[in-house]
Amino acid sequence: MIKASIIGATGYVGIELIRLLQKHPRVELNELVSNSRAGSKLIDVYPQFRGSQVADYYLKDLSEFEVKDNDIIFTALPHGVSQNIVAELFDQGVKIIDLSGDFRYHDTDLYTEWYGIEHNFSELACKAVYGLSEFNRSAIKKASLVANPGCYVTASLLALLPLVNFSKADLSSIIIDAKSGVSGAGKSLKQDLLFTESYNTMKAYSPGTHRHSSEIEYILNRFLEQSYFQSEFGSEFLALHNFNSANNQKATVLFTPHLVPVKRGIFATIYLKLNAESSKEELTELYNSFYETEKFIQLIPDSLPELKYVAGSNYVQLGFRYNKRTDQVIILSALDNMLKGAAGQAVQNMNIMFNLAEETGLEATALFP
Amino acid sequence: MIKASIIGATGYVGIELIRLLQKHPRVELNELVSNSRAGSKLIDVYPQFRGSQVADYYLKDLSEFEVKDNDIIFTALPHGVSQNIVAELFDQGVKIIDLSGDFRYHDTDLYTEWYGIEHNFSELACKAVYGLSEFNRSAIKKASLVANPGCYVTASLLALLPLVNFSKADLSSIIIDAKSGVSGAGKSLKQDLLFTESYNTMKAYSPGTHRHSSEIEYILNRFLEQSYFQSEFGSEFLALHNFNSANNQKATVLFTPHLVPVKRGIFATIYLKLNAESSKEELTELYNSFYETEKFIQLIPDSLPELKYVAGSNYVQLGFRYNKRTDQVIILSALDNMLKGAAGQAVQNMNIMFNLAEETGLEATALFP
Amino acid sequence: MIKASIIGATGYVGIELIRLLQKHPRVELNELVSNSRAGSKLIDVYPQFRGSQVADYYLKDLSEFEVKDNDIIFTALPHGVSQNIVAELFDQGVKIIDLSGDFRYHDTDLYTEWYGIEHNFSELACKAVYGLSEFNRSAIKKASLVANPGCYVTASLLALLPLVNFSKADLSSIIIDAKSGVSGAGKSLKQDLLFTESYNTMKAYSPGTHRHSSEIEYILNRFLEQSYFQSEFGSEFLALHNFNSANNQKATVLFTPHLVPVKRGIFATIYLKLNAESSKEELTELYNSFYETEKFIQLIPDSLPELKYVAGSNYVQLGFRYNKRTDQVIILSALDNMLKGAAGQAVQNMNIMFNLAEETGLEATALFP
Amino acid sequence: MIKASIIGATGYVGIELIRLLQKHPRVELNELVSNSRAGSKLIDVYPQFRGSQVADYYLKDLSEFEVKDNDIIFTALPHGVSQNIVAELFDQGVKIIDLSGDFRYHDTDLYTEWYGIEHNFSELACKAVYGLSEFNRSAIKKASLVANPGCYVTASLLALLPLVNFSKADLSSIIIDAKSGVSGAGKSLKQDLLFTESYNTMKAYSPGTHRHSSEIEYILNRFLEQSYFQSEFGSEFLALHNFNSANNQKATVLFTPHLVPVKRGIFATIYLKLNAESSKEELTELYNSFYETEKFIQLIPDSLPELKYVAGSNYVQLGFRYNKRTDQVIILSALDNMLKGAAGQAVQNMNIMFNLAEETGLEATALFP
């Protein structure tokens, strides 16, 4: 059994990790750390765990936590806070999957530019492996520290990365119009997250300037810099896809997130210009070459994604339309922000790290109706 | 492996049965029958099953269906329609769990009075075993035909049945104010089930005259007629609880359902007068004597039920308050209408019938957030 | 023109008062006081007022406020806070409509018992006139201080008061099962008011012990003590209805509120036992005798109330069912908690105080769809 | 008083017209025509009108309807159905505001191409005046037949038309990502409009191929063909804005609508490339030159639109961001699909036609919370 602990166990991502790991057939949940609720019984904070294997767990303070009993630690903490704790854990030689934004950039100056926070562990950041499971397996397998991508970025990259290998794609023209359920904002007490403020309404926020623009762009461009792949984004991948990065482009992304009144889910509508005529068939073949054998990616060129078909599952639905009239591609990507967008992908990465079948503990079908 | 088929596979209860049974470690899903969608692939009707074991299933017409390959059949059909199909299947010697209202009354005149429909199989109705798992295990174990209770009734009976054995309870004064999520109404195309008609609003319907009043009352009274227990509601139960049915009362129920804008869930608020002073302690002891060892019943005398803590799971949360000022008990009962209120309890009953651990395939924790 | 100011202008009730008063043909909105947002422009806090007459208003601190320029002041403040401010304003001789709970009880010991707060102005509390418009017009007309009832209480009393004059009603058996939209809880930053916590779920709170139990009971009993009416609840009312208070009963109320995921609305389902057989006709006549000429009370004995038919309006829908089988009456009452349950009734009371037609500024039809 | 009738009175747009016109100080509502509910009393179909001036109205069949008693007729019918009825009414010499898509194109071949329906009244279509109030006042004032634009199109055109007069705008690159509340789909009984199917989820539909793409493009291009303005889109407008249509471009629009779980509202996020560097100031000046004096257009360059600030009102909120990094403009447009997107704009147009102040009967502030 893999001994696992969660630091930041009472945030929404934390409890989603608990929900998944308590049923994972190869995991033994060790400690649940939550400084804000230390000393409480888990079920007094989250009654839904009554009747489960963790019903008797108490939440601990980080100061009481011992690294040595663990094979892996999940850190589900706010960015800025996470880097210090991760660095300390890392020094004690345990595997870590970090769900914050702190280790997603090797270039920590870029991190500082977009997050407005100093990064004190640039060297460690360069050792972190980007945890987009489907594109980085070989590196994840060997990783000590995985930087788990967020929900917006996962939805966007899974839709866009195949196009990086498509010479007709104009990567300077990417527009991502993303819609998020409210749980993605976490449980902090902000007025605009109140039911009365966010029910029966919707809005955009940070149009064009949200920090996840930079993460999407950064990862796309790391893919485009082919040399990079050798070291991290796997060589097996390059071989498989006969990757060409044809036109020495640099990807530019305009990203606008929206808040919609649903609980779970990211729905991304992505627009991209083509340099030459294409076809549904050509695009289907392109996407198939990446995703045909992927367990969690449902390519549905003949229908359209919808949140209700993925919420509660680790699946991603990907649809697209080639618009001949304007020579554009519209890609639609839907996933559950708590699962494939956070805790689910983290468990998927853990499975990769421990040589388990990738879907272990992640087999749930979406909860519909 | 238990070979199981579902007739009525594309209603909301039907697809919830599919969702549960495809992951059930001891079940092999055989046929999915849906006359309305016969010939379609399941995932073309319900795309959430992509990637699952049933992804390649086709929906069949009932005329193509063969009983003999099955150990058990689930019928999830409208009342009135179900009785004929169940009767035909029963004659072919297969075990059946019927999720309609057609076999819930041994007294078919009462059925006709409340449903406004003739019952053509009175004899078969008397053979049907009432599928309230926690109270009727021994009979369910031996049953050929189980009449699975509905969502309102399960929520109400689990809250009320312990009081049947409480001499201070005035059973003539029961008031049930029940609130249902919209999925409970199924997917028929009625105007008041449109999003625009049922979002951001709520209403009562059939106040005091809904047919489930009669089912709740009928089952409560069958319990009170102690003799009855010998044959159906189990003798082991009587012995266990030193059942007294003290005061020869007859239960009378005033039941008012409401439609609230949530997807899944029944929340019942139940009011009952006491004949004598009681206490939180006495009531806790009473409920504990029934539910302490029950896997799916969460007795929470110190907190209060909430739909989000059960939706997505087979659990029932039961809370209560003794109101000294008015000598009344308020019992609060929350469950997921698709799970413990329908498909979940059906699978629980199947587990009982096939001597499996009752929670097999039903271990999911509520999906929250 | 009536010069009016609002103290507590940026709470949800405060902005509903602004919304109503800025369009009121006989009112000139004077000052908007909000200590928490003093110095801000109203539209920077609540952008929906762009384009309206108050678009240029700034929010003031209470210390800057001068009573003398006003004919009437609306106080929309938390209980406990309100009493001190109201007392100070009252001494300066201005008419006040207070929307808090602080002046709803003449018996301030009862207030303290249920609110857990000292009352420093018992004498003033006894001068306050209870602002249930339909039942207390003559007193409101002469009042200097009106204590505006809350949403739960208005929905309940309008449903129950006619029964006070019905000798068959067993007033010791009143059960009120009330459901509230989330806006009723105000905009304070509490975790259970977050969208993610209160969407797609529901719960009961304070079952049987909520402080509004006491207000409903208290007012019902003041009605039953006939003598009281002479002084406050109007003599014209007594004459009109040939009030008998037949059986020297005392009303007892068991009240359980619920939080449902809608924005605006109170839906109360009220249960009451009768001492003798009655009929739909008898009850219709009883209710008609009270409400036939009431502009804002829609008696609908042949259909059923629903929030969507009142939300956005000052109307109350009242339905009822006589349940012959159990000799009970079920009364259903629906209103908009921001309008008839708060700001709307406050404006109605202002209209009464200033001899305007009661519906002035309150003519809006419910916003549906 | 203006005598007005509504044909198609029981659809959602029909009842919104009733809601507005019954309170309009200069209108007398004459007949309400609804073939599907002919013979019913309005309040038996829509109880929210109890207590209003139309409480006693009966719905009539079209065959009973007489044109001659009316000054203006609103037709709120499905496209395809509307053209025949409008043509017949037109011949009888009454003013008409048609809310269907049937008369929005002078080029009826284009209509047929996108609607898949023959158009039998090409000549009449050419006489129809496009009812985008802010841009076509002088033509609307003289019109006999106004083709009222739909909700998606109004939200998009109000955001885009100022850019038609901006030489830096690359009009070939317009991307509109629009989100609609469910009421926009009307009350037809389709499965995906059920609460259970559209709550807590979202989806795109007809990406890139929705018929409103063509209407937006068509109207933009009519603006660009400057000559056209002389006859319809008013000359006063050209003079005012020193319109240049600088670069002989043709506008191309990629439009993707989404269904989001809110009741009322259109939220459009619009992306457009610039040919040269611009600035927030330049764009603010451009938009101000169009909208500074417009009652219903709220230009908010320093904040962002949100549905809750417009739902229930005839206002449009317009925000924008100039994205220097990618030289793009993001324009955000929010309106109430029932008001400015349908019935509200129709009443605004009626006010123009009858020389009333444009905001008469449309002064409501958004209903929030």
Side-chain angles (χ1 to χ4, degrees):
Chain A
M1 298 293 273
I2 303 162
K3 287 189 180 168
S5 289
I6 301 165
I7 299 179
T10 55
Y12 289 150
V13 171
I15 57 169
E16 188 71 350
L17 282 166
I18 300 176
R19 194 178 67 84
L20 293 172
L21 294 174
Q22 50 132 347
K23 301 290 184 201
H24 193 291
R26 303 291 298 276
V27 169
E28 190 184 316
L29 253 183
N30 208 346
E31 305 276 20
L32 305 179
V33 175
S34 165
N35 283 5
S36 65
R37 304 304 300 255
S40 299
K41 213 171 170 179
L42 176 64
I43 56 169
D44 291 336
V45 186
Y46 288 109
Q48 68 267 32
F49 292 108
R50 283 172 185 279
S52 80
Q53 288 122 288
V54 290
D56 295 326
Y57 277 53
Y58 279 83
L59 298 159
K60 295 218 168 152
D61 192 89
L62 184 55
S63 61
E64 308 169 77
F65 177 70
E66 297 201 31
V67 169
K68 65 177 159 47
D69 303 327
N70 292 284
D71 298 310
I72 187 160
I73 295 168
F74 294 85
T75 46
L77 297 160
H79 57 259
V81 174
S82 201
Q83 48 174 284
N84 303 295
I85 292 169
V86 166
E88 218 182 298
L89 297 170
F90 188 85
D91 287 345
Q92 299 176 62
V94 68
K95 285 178 194 291
I96 302 162
I97 297 179
D98 179 47
L99 290 102
S100 83
D102 282 358
F103 293 95
R104 293 179 188 154
Y105 299 76
H106 285 195
D107 177 349
T108 51
D109 289 345
L110 193 62
Y111 170 87
T112 298
E113 183 187 333
W114 287 85
Y115 280 73
I117 292 174
E118 285 304 303
H119 203 300
N120 306 314
F121 308 93
S122 297
E123 213 175 313
L124 182 53
C126 287
K127 291 182 190 152
V129 168
Y130 196 70
L132 189 67
S133 318
E134 281 75 12
F135 283 87
N136 215 9
R137 279 188 183 99
S138 60
I140 293 167
K141 195 167 287 190
K142 295 172 279 179
S144 296
L145 169 57
V146 168
N148 215 60
C151 48
Y152 279 131
V153 179
T154 299
S156 301
L157 288 176
L158 291 173
L160 284 167
L161 278 171
L163 294 164
V164 163
N165 201 23
F166 184 50
S167 57
K168 293 180 186 172
D170 174 0
L171 299 179
S172 72
S173 77
I174 299 167
I175 289 173
I176 302 174
D177 190 285
K179 297 91 178 170
S180 174
V182 186
S183 68
K187 63 170 194 173
S188 57
L189 297 176
K190 293 180 189 150
Q191 192 177 333
D192 68 335
L193 301 181
L194 290 179
F195 179 90
T196 306
E197 298 284 338
S198 51
Y199 181 75
N200 203 12
T201 186
M202 70 162 291
K203 64 173 178 183
Y205 60 102
S206 308
T209 60
H210 193 278
R211 62 170 65 108
H212 289 333
S213 312
S214 86
E215 186 178 335
I216 300 167
E217 227 178 70
Y218 173 68
I219 300 293
L220 284 175
N221 284 318
R222 274 169 66 191
F223 257 79
L224 283 164
E225 296 156 19
Q226 209 183 112
S227 60
Y228 204 100
F229 284 79
Q230 320 304 331
S231 56
E232 188 190 359
F233 291 111
S235 47
E236 91 274 28
F237 178 88
L238 290 173
L240 202 67
H241 293 293
N242 186 26
F243 184 83
N244 58 12
S245 179
N247 31 23
N248 288 314
Q249 308 177 66
K250 216 172 146 4
T252 310
V253 167
L254 185 70
F255 170 74
T256 297
H258 298 74
L259 199 66
V260 291
V262 307
K263 223 177 208 178
R264 286 174 174 237
I266 295 290
F267 192 98
T269 312
I270 301 175
Y271 304 91
L272 182 133
K273 195 96 187 141
L274 296 187
N275 299 317
E277 202 178 309
S278 181
S279 66
K280 180 185 164 185
E281 291 67 33
E282 188 180 30
L283 287 159
T284 304
E285 200 183 332
L286 173 74
Y287 276 96
N288 264 334
S289 77
F290 281 76
Y291 295 136
E292 207 161 21
T293 60
E294 287 297 342
K295 174 76 181 168
F296 290 121
I297 315 290
Q298 303 181 346
L299 190 65
I300 49 170
D302 294 314
S303 57
L304 289 169
E306 193 167 342
L307 289 186
K308 68 185 176 194
Y309 297 136
V310 294
S313 85
N314 199 49
Y315 290 103
V316 181
Q317 283 201 333
L318 281 183
F320 59 82
R321 288 294 181 275
Y322 170 57
N323 194 264
K324 198 171 190 165
R325 215 170 61 89
T326 62
D327 247 331
Q328 279 168 301
V329 189
I330 307 170
I331 312 131
L332 305 156
S333 175
L335 55 76
D336 182 320
N337 57 309
M338 288 290 151
L339 285 156
K340 186 63 182 172
Q345 185 154 249
V347 171
Q348 190 179 352
N349 287 333
M350 180 198 73
N351 290 340
I352 295 172
M353 292 162 90
F354 289 87
N355 281 307
L356 306 177
E358 229 164 276
E359 61 270 27
T360 314
L362 295 170
E363 299 91 346
T365 300
L367 191 73
F368 175 82
Chain B
M1 296 294 273
I2 303 164
K3 286 188 180 169
S5 289
I6 299 165
I7 299 180
T10 55
Y12 289 149
V13 171
I15 57 170
E16 187 71 351
L17 283 166
I18 300 175
R19 194 178 68 83
L20 293 172
L21 293 174
Q22 50 132 347
K23 301 290 186 205
H24 194 290
R26 302 291 298 277
V27 169
E28 189 184 317
L29 254 183
N30 209 348
E31 305 275 21
L32 305 178
V33 175
S34 165
N35 284 5
S36 66
R37 304 303 301 254
S40 298
K41 214 171 170 178
L42 176 64
I43 56 169
D44 291 336
V45 185
Y46 288 109
Q48 69 267 33
F49 291 108
R50 282 171 186 279
S52 80
Q53 288 122 288
V54 290
D56 294 325
Y57 278 52
Y58 279 83
L59 297 158
K60 295 219 168 153
D61 193 89
L62 184 56
S63 61
E64 307 169 78
F65 177 69
E66 297 202 31
V67 169
K68 65 175 160 48
D69 303 328
N70 292 284
D71 298 311
I72 188 160
I73 296 168
F74 293 85
T75 46
L77 297 161
H79 57 259
V81 174
S82 201
Q83 50 173 281
N84 303 295
I85 292 170
V86 166
E88 218 181 297
L89 297 169
F90 188 85
D91 287 345
Q92 298 176 63
V94 67
K95 285 178 194 291
I96 303 162
I97 297 180
D98 179 47
L99 290 102
S100 83
D102 283 358
F103 293 95
R104 294 178 188 155
Y105 299 78
H106 285 196
D107 177 350
T108 52
D109 288 346
L110 194 64
Y111 170 87
T112 298
E113 183 187 331
W114 286 84
Y115 279 73
I117 292 174
E118 285 304 303
H119 203 299
N120 306 313
F121 307 94
S122 297
E123 213 175 311
L124 182 53
C126 287
K127 291 182 191 151
V129 167
Y130 196 71
L132 189 69
S133 317
E134 282 74 13
F135 283 88
N136 214 9
R137 280 188 182 98
S138 60
I140 293 167
K141 196 167 285 192
K142 294 172 279 180
S144 296
L145 169 58
V146 167
N148 214 61
C151 48
Y152 279 132
V153 180
T154 298
S156 301
L157 287 176
L158 291 173
L160 283 167
L161 278 170
L163 294 164
V164 162
N165 201 22
F166 185 48
S167 58
K168 292 181 187 169
D170 174 359
L171 299 179
S172 73
S173 76
I174 300 166
I175 288 174
I176 303 173
D177 190 284
K179 298 89 177 170
S180 173
V182 186
S183 68
K187 64 170 194 174
S188 57
L189 298 176
K190 292 179 191 153
Q191 193 178 331
D192 68 335
L193 302 182
L194 290 178
F195 179 90
T196 305
E197 299 282 339
S198 50
Y199 181 73
N200 203 11
T201 185
M202 68 161 293
K203 64 173 177 182
Y205 59 103
S206 309
T209 59
H210 192 278
R211 61 169 66 107
H212 288 334
S213 312
S214 87
E215 186 178 334
I216 301 167
E217 224 179 72
Y218 172 69
I219 300 293
L220 284 176
N221 284 316
R222 273 170 67 190
F223 257 81
L224 284 163
E225 297 156 20
Q226 208 184 116
S227 61
Y228 205 99
F229 283 79
Q230 321 304 330
S231 56
E232 188 190 359
F233 290 112
S235 46
E236 91 273 30
F237 178 89
L238 289 173
L240 202 65
H241 293 293
N242 186 25
F243 184 82
N244 58 10
S245 180
N247 31 21
N248 287 317
Q249 309 177 64
K250 215 169 146 4
T252 309
V253 168
L254 186 70
F255 170 74
T256 297
H258 298 73
L259 199 66
V260 292
V262 306
K263 223 177 207 176
R264 286 175 174 235
I266 295 289
F267 192 98
T269 312
I270 301 176
Y271 303 91
L272 183 134
K273 195 94 189 144
L274 296 187
N275 299 318
E277 203 179 308
S278 180
S279 66
K280 181 186 162 185
E281 291 66 32
E282 187 179 31
L283 287 160
T284 304
E285 198 183 333
L286 173 74
Y287 275 96
N288 263 335
S289 77
F290 281 76
Y291 294 136
E292 207 160 21
T293 61
E294 286 297 343
K295 174 75 182 167
F296 290 121
I297 315 290
Q298 303 181 346
L299 189 65
I300 49 169
D302 294 315
S303 58
L304 289 169
E306 193 167 343
L307 288 187
K308 68 185 176 194
Y309 297 136
V310 294
S313 84
N314 199 49
Y315 291 103
V316 181
Q317 282 200 332
L318 280 183
F320 60 84
R321 288 293 181 275
Y322 169 58
N323 193 266
K324 199 170 188 166
R325 213 170 63 86
T326 62
D327 246 331
Q328 277 168 304
V329 190
I330 307 171
I331 312 132
L332 305 157
S333 174
L335 55 77
D336 182 320
N337 57 309
M338 288 290 150
L339 284 157
K340 185 63 182 173
Q345 184 155 249
V347 171
Q348 190 180 353
N349 287 331
M350 181 198 74
N351 289 340
I352 296 173
M353 292 162 89
F354 288 87
N355 281 308
L356 305 176
E358 229 164 275
E359 61 271 27
T360 315
L362 295 169
E363 300 91 346
T365 300
L367 190 73
F368 175 82
Chain C
M1 297 295 272
I2 303 163
K3 286 188 180 168
S5 290
I6 300 166
I7 299 179
T10 55
Y12 289 151
V13 171
I15 57 170
E16 188 70 352
L17 283 166
I18 300 175
R19 195 178 68 83
L20 294 172
L21 293 174
Q22 50 132 346
K23 301 291 185 202
H24 193 291
R26 302 291 298 277
V27 169
E28 190 185 316
L29 254 182
N30 209 347
E31 306 276 20
L32 305 179
V33 176
S34 165
N35 283 5
S36 66
R37 304 304 300 254
S40 299
K41 214 171 168 178
L42 175 64
I43 56 169
D44 291 336
V45 186
Y46 288 110
Q48 69 268 31
F49 291 108
R50 284 170 186 280
S52 79
Q53 288 123 287
V54 290
D56 294 325
Y57 278 53
Y58 279 83
L59 297 158
K60 295 219 168 152
D61 192 271
L62 184 55
S63 61
E64 307 168 78
F65 177 69
E66 297 202 31
V67 169
K68 66 176 159 46
D69 303 327
N70 292 283
D71 298 311
I72 187 160
I73 295 168
F74 294 85
T75 46
L77 297 161
H79 57 259
V81 174
S82 201
Q83 49 173 284
N84 303 294
I85 293 169
V86 165
E88 217 181 299
L89 297 170
F90 188 84
D91 287 343
Q92 298 176 63
V94 67
K95 285 178 194 292
I96 302 162
I97 297 180
D98 179 47
L99 291 101
S100 83
D102 283 357
F103 293 95
R104 293 178 188 155
Y105 298 77
H106 285 195
D107 177 349
T108 51
D109 290 345
L110 193 62
Y111 170 87
T112 298
E113 183 187 332
W114 287 85
Y115 280 73
I117 293 174
E118 285 304 303
H119 204 299
N120 307 314
F121 307 93
S122 298
E123 211 176 313
L124 182 53
C126 286
K127 290 183 191 152
V129 167
Y130 195 71
L132 189 68
S133 318
E134 282 74 12
F135 283 88
N136 214 10
R137 280 188 183 99
S138 59
I140 293 166
K141 195 167 288 191
K142 294 173 279 180
S144 295
L145 169 57
V146 168
N148 215 60
C151 48
Y152 278 132
V153 180
T154 298
S156 301
L157 287 177
L158 291 173
L160 283 168
L161 278 171
L163 293 164
V164 163
N165 201 22
F166 184 48
S167 59
K168 292 180 186 170
D170 174 0
L171 299 178
S172 73
S173 76
I174 299 167
I175 288 172
I176 302 174
D177 190 284
K179 298 90 177 169
S180 174
V182 185
S183 68
K187 63 170 193 173
S188 57
L189 298 177
K190 292 179 190 153
Q191 192 177 332
D192 68 335
L193 302 182
L194 291 179
F195 180 90
T196 305
E197 299 283 337
S198 51
Y199 181 74
N200 204 11
T201 185
M202 68 163 291
K203 64 172 178 182
Y205 59 102
S206 310
T209 59
H210 192 279
R211 63 169 65 108
H212 288 334
S213 312
S214 87
E215 186 178 335
I216 300 167
E217 227 178 71
Y218 172 69
I219 300 293
L220 285 175
N221 284 317
R222 272 170 68 191
F223 257 80
L224 284 163
E225 297 156 19
Q226 210 184 113
S227 61
Y228 204 99
F229 284 79
Q230 320 304 332
S231 55
E232 187 189 1
F233 292 113
S235 46
E236 92 273 31
F237 178 88
L238 290 173
L240 201 67
H241 293 293
N242 186 25
F243 184 82
N244 57 11
S245 180
N247 31 22
N248 288 315
Q249 308 178 64
K250 215 170 145 5
T252 309
V253 168
L254 186 70
F255 170 75
T256 297
H258 298 74
L259 200 65
V260 292
V262 307
K263 223 178 209 177
R264 286 174 174 237
I266 296 289
F267 192 98
T269 312
I270 301 175
Y271 303 91
L272 182 134
K273 195 96 187 141
L274 296 188
N275 299 317
E277 203 179 310
S278 180
S279 66
K280 180 185 164 186
E281 290 67 31
E282 188 179 32
L283 287 159
T284 304
E285 199 183 333
L286 173 74
Y287 276 95
N288 264 334
S289 77
F290 280 76
Y291 293 137
E292 206 160 22
T293 59
E294 286 297 343
K295 174 74 182 170
F296 289 120
I297 315 290
Q298 303 181 347
L299 189 66
I300 50 171
D302 295 315
S303 58
L304 289 169
E306 194 167 341
L307 288 186
K308 69 185 176 193
Y309 298 136
V310 294
S313 84
N314 198 50
Y315 291 103
V316 181
Q317 283 201 331
L318 281 183
F320 60 83
R321 288 294 182 275
Y322 170 59
N323 194 265
K324 199 171 188 163
R325 214 170 62 88
T326 62
D327 246 333
Q328 277 168 303
V329 190
I330 307 169
I331 312 132
L332 305 156
S333 174
L335 55 77
D336 181 321
N337 56 310
M338 288 290 150
L339 284 157
K340 185 63 182 171
Q345 184 155 249
V347 171
Q348 190 180 351
N349 287 332
M350 180 198 73
N351 289 340
I352 295 173
M353 291 162 91
F354 289 86
N355 280 309
L356 306 177
E358 230 165 275
E359 62 271 27
T360 314
L362 295 170
E363 300 90 347
T365 300
L367 191 73
F368 174 83
Chain D
M1 297 292 272
I2 303 164
K3 286 188 180 169
S5 290
I6 300 165
I7 299 179
T10 55
Y12 289 150
V13 171
I15 57 169
E16 187 72 350
L17 283 166
I18 299 176
R19 194 178 68 83
L20 294 171
L21 293 174
Q22 50 132 348
K23 302 289 187 205
H24 194 291
R26 302 291 298 276
V27 168
E28 189 184 318
L29 253 182
N30 208 348
E31 306 275 22
L32 305 179
V33 176
S34 165
N35 283 6
S36 66
R37 304 305 300 256
S40 298
K41 213 171 170 178
L42 175 64
I43 56 169
D44 292 336
V45 185
Y46 288 109
Q48 69 266 34
F49 292 108
R50 282 171 187 280
S52 80
Q53 288 123 289
V54 291
D56 294 325
Y57 278 52
Y58 279 83
L59 298 158
K60 295 219 168 153
D61 192 89
L62 185 56
S63 61
E64 307 169 79
F65 176 69
E66 297 201 32
V67 169
K68 66 175 160 47
D69 304 327
N70 293 283
D71 297 311
I72 188 161
I73 295 168
F74 294 86
T75 47
L77 297 160
H79 58 259
V81 174
S82 201
Q83 50 174 280
N84 303 293
I85 292 169
V86 166
E88 219 182 297
L89 297 169
F90 188 84
D91 288 343
Q92 298 176 63
V94 67
K95 284 177 194 293
I96 303 162
I97 296 179
D98 179 47
L99 290 102
S100 83
D102 283 358
F103 293 95
R104 293 178 188 156
Y105 299 77
H106 285 194
D107 177 349
T108 52
D109 289 346
L110 194 63
Y111 170 87
T112 298
E113 184 187 331
W114 286 85
Y115 280 73
I117 293 174
E118 286 303 302
H119 203 298
N120 306 313
F121 307 93
S122 298
E123 214 176 311
L124 182 53
C126 287
K127 290 183 191 152
V129 168
Y130 196 70
L132 189 68
S133 317
E134 282 74 11
F135 283 88
N136 214 9
R137 281 189 182 99
S138 60
I140 293 167
K141 195 167 287 190
K142 293 172 280 180
S144 296
L145 169 58
V146 167
N148 215 61
C151 47
Y152 279 131
V153 180
T154 298
S156 302
L157 288 176
L158 291 173
L160 284 167
L161 279 170
L163 293 164
V164 162
N165 201 23
F166 184 49
S167 58
K168 293 180 186 170
D170 175 359
L171 299 179
S172 73
S173 76
I174 299 167
I175 288 174
I176 302 174
D177 190 285
K179 298 89 177 170
S180 174
V182 186
S183 69
K187 64 171 194 173
S188 58
L189 297 177
K190 293 180 190 150
Q191 192 178 331
D192 68 335
L193 301 182
L194 290 179
F195 179 90
T196 306
E197 299 283 338
S198 50
Y199 181 74
N200 203 11
T201 186
M202 69 161 292
K203 65 172 178 183
Y205 59 102
S206 309
T209 60
H210 192 278
R211 61 170 65 108
H212 289 333
S213 313
S214 88
E215 186 177 334
I216 300 166
E217 225 178 71
Y218 173 69
I219 301 293
L220 285 175
N221 284 316
R222 273 168 68 190
F223 256 81
L224 284 163
E225 295 156 20
Q226 208 184 114
S227 62
Y228 203 101
F229 283 80
Q230 320 303 331
S231 56
E232 189 190 359
F233 292 112
S235 46
E236 91 273 30
F237 177 89
L238 290 173
L240 202 66
H241 294 291
N242 186 26
F243 183 82
N244 58 11
S245 179
N247 31 22
N248 289 316
Q249 309 178 65
K250 215 170 146 5
T252 309
V253 168
L254 186 69
F255 170 75
T256 297
H258 298 73
L259 200 65
V260 292
V262 306
K263 223 178 207 177
R264 285 173 174 236
I266 295 290
F267 192 98
T269 312
I270 300 175
Y271 304 92
L272 184 132
K273 195 93 188 144
L274 297 188
N275 298 318
E277 204 180 308
S278 181
S279 65
K280 181 186 163 187
E281 291 66 33
E282 187 180 31
L283 287 160
T284 304
E285 197 183 334
L286 173 74
Y287 276 95
N288 263 335
S289 77
F290 281 77
Y291 295 137
E292 206 162 19
T293 60
E294 287 297 342
K295 174 77 181 168
F296 290 120
I297 315 290
Q298 303 181 346
L299 189 66
I300 49 170
D302 294 315
S303 59
L304 289 169
E306 193 167 342
L307 288 186
K308 68 185 176 194
Y309 298 135
V310 294
S313 84
N314 199 50
Y315 290 103
V316 181
Q317 283 201 332
L318 280 184
F320 60 84
R321 289 293 180 275
Y322 169 59
N323 194 263
K324 198 169 189 167
R325 213 171 61 89
T326 62
D327 247 331
Q328 278 169 302
V329 189
I330 307 169
I331 313 132
L332 305 156
S333 174
L335 55 76
D336 181 321
N337 57 309
M338 288 290 150
L339 284 156
K340 186 61 183 174
Q345 184 156 248
V347 170
Q348 191 180 351
N349 287 332
M350 180 198 74
N351 289 340
I352 296 173
M353 292 161 90
F354 288 88
N355 281 307
L356 306 176
E358 229 164 276
E359 62 270 27
T360 314
L362 295 170
E363 298 91 347
T365 300
L367 191 73
F368 175 81

